């Protein structure tokens, strides 16, 4: 088995592996890989059996804000770990993950991060050499949206706004450092998933944006709140609730860490009911790549994450 870095030249066998591993159309997986931008934002290695790509491990480069230093640091977000069904049980994940983290450390990346499902957490816990520890479990919330006065400067759209954004100061929590450009790429530029946006416009500037998508909860129309970006989050979410409620939605779903500023802001304008169980729980996991990480990063109560952070 040959272990080697993956590049854009490997898109065809790479997409075929992802399609087989996740039961998705091959053309979609090819579009996804171009979207993730191998060689620039995506660091990936694969295990080759001749011309057959048997396994791959990849990390997406993301900036993480650390309130202890007031700075952002690079982390590698683990995504799309895949082993072809014909090659499982041979320990290939560990073989392809090791050079990925060596390459990340050489670039000055301080940690690997991930959002593992229950099966992924079992892998983390079984493999001591894998190096990941579970920081905490994101919790789902059911939101009952209280009626709000509609705002004339707020609108719902399927198009990303083409205006400059007002600056946003980072919170006093560990968080992925979203910018308007990164949000646009993550949600508006996705090759096959479609999202909707709640936009708060003030003159020739965007005062904030909410990313969401329509869903159904127990057969009832609802919305899944994925991300929110604004200097005034309570005002943004109040206007968004007024807009989606006018469109006929009174229920919303949110996946969040306990210290999320979005969750805190929602408590003033919605009834937030934590759900004790989730069919698809996500766990925040962390793998240090340097000894200089602050201990606060390993405390789940210090993190501010939403479901939209999960790729």
């Amino acid at each position: 088995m040959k272990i080697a870095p993956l590049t854009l030249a490997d898109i065809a066998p790479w997409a075929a592996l992802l399609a087989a591993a996740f039961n998705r159309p091959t053309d979609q997986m090819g579009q996804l890989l171009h979207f993730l931008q191998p060689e620039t934002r995506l660091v990936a290695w694969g295990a080759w059996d001749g011309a057959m790509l048997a396994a791959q491990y990849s990390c997406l480069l993301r900036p993480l804000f650390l309130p202890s230093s007031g700075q952002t640091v690079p982390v590698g977000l683990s995504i799309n770990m895949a082993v072809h069904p014909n090659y499982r049980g041979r320990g290939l994940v560990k073989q392809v993950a090791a050079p990925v983290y060596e390459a990340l450390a050489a670039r000055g990346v301080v940690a690997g991060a991930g959002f593992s499902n229950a099966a992924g957490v079992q892998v983390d816990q079984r493999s001591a050499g894998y190096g990941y520890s579970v920081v905490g479990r994101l919790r789902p919330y059911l939101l009952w949206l209280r009626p709000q006065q509609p705002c004339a400067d707020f609108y719902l759209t399927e198009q990303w706004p083409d205006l400059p954004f007002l600056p946003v100061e980072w919170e006093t929590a560990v968080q992925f450092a979203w910018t308007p450009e990164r949000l646009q790429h993550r949600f508006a530029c996705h090759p096959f998933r479609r999202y909707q946006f709640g936009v708060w416009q003030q003159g020739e500037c965007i005062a904030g944006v909410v990313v969401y998508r329509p869903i159904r909860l127990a057969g009832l129309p609802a919305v899944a709140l994925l991300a929110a970006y604004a200097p005034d989050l309570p005002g943004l979410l109040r206007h968004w609730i007024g807009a989606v409620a006018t469109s006929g939605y009174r229920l919303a779903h949110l996946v969040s860490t306990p210290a999320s500023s979005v969750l805190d802001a929602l408590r003033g304008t919605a009834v937030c009911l934590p759900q004790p169980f989730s069919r698809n729980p996500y766990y925040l996991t962390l793998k240090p790549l340097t000894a200089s990480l602050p201990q606060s990063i390993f405390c789940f109560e210090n993190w501010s994450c939403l479901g939209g952070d999960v790729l």
Side-chain angles (χ1 to χ4, degrees):
M1 198 74 68
K2 177 185 176 182
I3 309 298
L6 296 175
T7 70
L8 286 171
D10 304 311
I11 288 293
W14 198 354
L17 167 62
L18 295 180
F22 300 116
N23 193 27
R24 299 299 297 269
T26 303
D27 61 335
Q28 278 194 357
M29 296 300 94
Q31 294 169 19
L32 180 65
L33 288 171
H34 281 288
F35 165 75
L36 292 173
Q37 302 175 6
E39 303 175 32
T40 56
R41 295 188 182 185
L42 190 70
V43 178
W45 283 63
W48 295 88
D49 184 6
M52 176 75 176
L53 184 60
Q56 74 91 42
Y57 193 94
S58 56
C59 282
L60 187 67
L61 296 173
R62 296 278 299 276
L64 185 74
F65 175 73
L66 298 180
S68 58
S69 64
Q71 297 179 337
T72 60
V73 295
V75 298
L77 186 63
S78 174
I79 59 172
N80 297 336
M81 176 182 69
V83 179
H84 192 280
N86 295 341
Y87 291 86
R88 290 173 183 167
R90 305 186 188 184
L92 290 179
V93 170
K94 186 175 181 180
Q95 294 181 48
V96 291
V100 169
Y101 289 111
E102 289 174 5
L104 291 175
R107 293 191 184 194
V109 174
V110 301
F115 292 99
S116 294
N117 55 22
V121 165
Q122 290 179 1
V123 172
D124 296 339
Q125 293 173 338
R126 284 198 304 263
S127 177
Y130 197 44
Y132 267 94
S133 60
V134 177
V135 180
R137 181 173 71 90
L138 276 68
R139 191 167 193 177
Y141 291 84
L142 178 64
L143 311 178
W144 175 255
L145 307 179
R146 297 185 180 124
Q148 303 291 320
Q149 185 69 30
C151 173
D153 296 329
F154 193 94
Y155 61 92
L156 305 178
T157 178
E158 296 181 358
Q159 305 298 320
W160 186 260
D162 188 21
L163 287 172
F165 279 67
L166 294 179
V168 172
E169 293 186 4
W170 302 117
E171 310 168 32
T172 56
V174 181
Q175 61 183 301
F176 292 101
W178 289 108
T179 64
E181 294 74 23
R182 293 192 184 102
L183 284 169
Q184 181 181 14
H185 180 263
R186 162 71 176 90
F187 295 106
C189 297
H190 199 282
F192 50 84
R193 291 179 184 161
R194 296 295 173 259
Y195 302 97
Q196 298 187 18
F197 310 103
V199 179
W200 186 9
Q201 183 173 340
Q202 293 181 350
E204 295 302 313
C205 290
I206 302 301
V209 64
V210 175
V211 182
Y212 70 101
R213 62 182 179 89
I215 60 172
R216 298 193 75 82
L217 291 174
L220 299 175
V223 289
L225 174 55
L226 300 172
Y229 181 89
D232 176 11
L233 276 177
L236 172 72
L237 293 167
R238 184 172 62 251
H239 296 326
W240 175 72
I241 289 173
V244 295
T246 301
S247 298
Y249 297 104
R250 296 301 298 275
L251 291 174
H253 187 264
L254 176 74
V255 176
S256 172
T257 56
S260 164
S261 59
V262 170
L263 177 62
D264 186 57
L266 281 168
R267 290 192 171 106
T269 51
V271 179
C272 303
L273 302 175
Q275 297 178 267
F277 302 104
S278 173
R279 292 181 179 178
N280 299 296
Y282 279 98
Y283 298 81
L284 174 65
T285 61
L286 201 64
K287 174 185 175 72
L289 298 178
T290 175
S292 61
L293 281 178
Q295 284 302 306
S296 59
I297 200 174
F298 298 97
C299 178
F300 192 53
E301 298 297 324
N302 294 331
W303 281 79
S304 178
C305 294
L306 296 183
D309 289 307
V310 181
L311 299 179

